[in-house]
Amino acid sequence: MPTTITHRHQPPTQSNTSRPHHLSRLATAIRAYGGTAVVALSHTAHPVLYVRHQDRTIPVVLVQDIRGGWSFVWGRTGWADSSQTEALAAYLAGAGAPAPRPPPPPPPPP
């Protein structure tokens, strides 16, 4: 369900349903690996996934980059492209998988 978001006197924008979709997919994949994950604020424009990882709870959010793609962001420096859901789930669930490597940047325009 889209949500209208306003900020100060700026015109309203429609939130994208990609955030809840991607975070729910990641949470399901983490649980499939035996991990613990819960999506908070799932019906808002800014849902957050909380994951139990290495004896602590970490938030995972989904952000849109300047090219229009989506990336998962967690901790101080962790990030992975949204296409790496399975690899990230294995890592966050503690299944012994390494953290996913970011994809290479696209080539510069001609």
Side-chain angles (χ1 to χ4, degrees):
M1 165 191 332
T3 303
T4 301
I5 302 169
T6 60
H7 180 69
R8 299 189 183 188
H9 300 291
Q10 302 298 321
T13 60
Q14 293 294 318
S15 68
N16 194 314
T17 58
S18 292
R19 280 189 176 103
H21 170 76
H22 285 298
L23 291 174
S24 294
R25 278 187 46 220
L26 180 57
T28 301
I30 289 169
R31 289 185 205 116
Y33 281 104
T36 303
V38 63
V39 178
L41 307 171
S42 62
H43 297 294
T44 68
H46 304 289
V48 178
L49 174 65
Y50 289 98
V51 180
R52 192 75 180 149
H53 178 71
Q54 298 177 349
D55 296 327
R56 61 190 178 108
T57 302
I58 59 169
V60 179
V61 296
L62 190 73
V63 297
Q64 192 169 27
D65 63 34
I66 59 172
R67 297 179 314 250
W70 292 95
S71 296
F72 295 108
V73 178
W74 70 96
R76 292 183 201 167
T77 59
W79 73 276
D81 188 79
S82 63
S83 65
Q84 298 175 305
T85 301
E86 285 299 317
L88 179 56
Y91 169 71
L92 290 175
R101 300 182 132 238

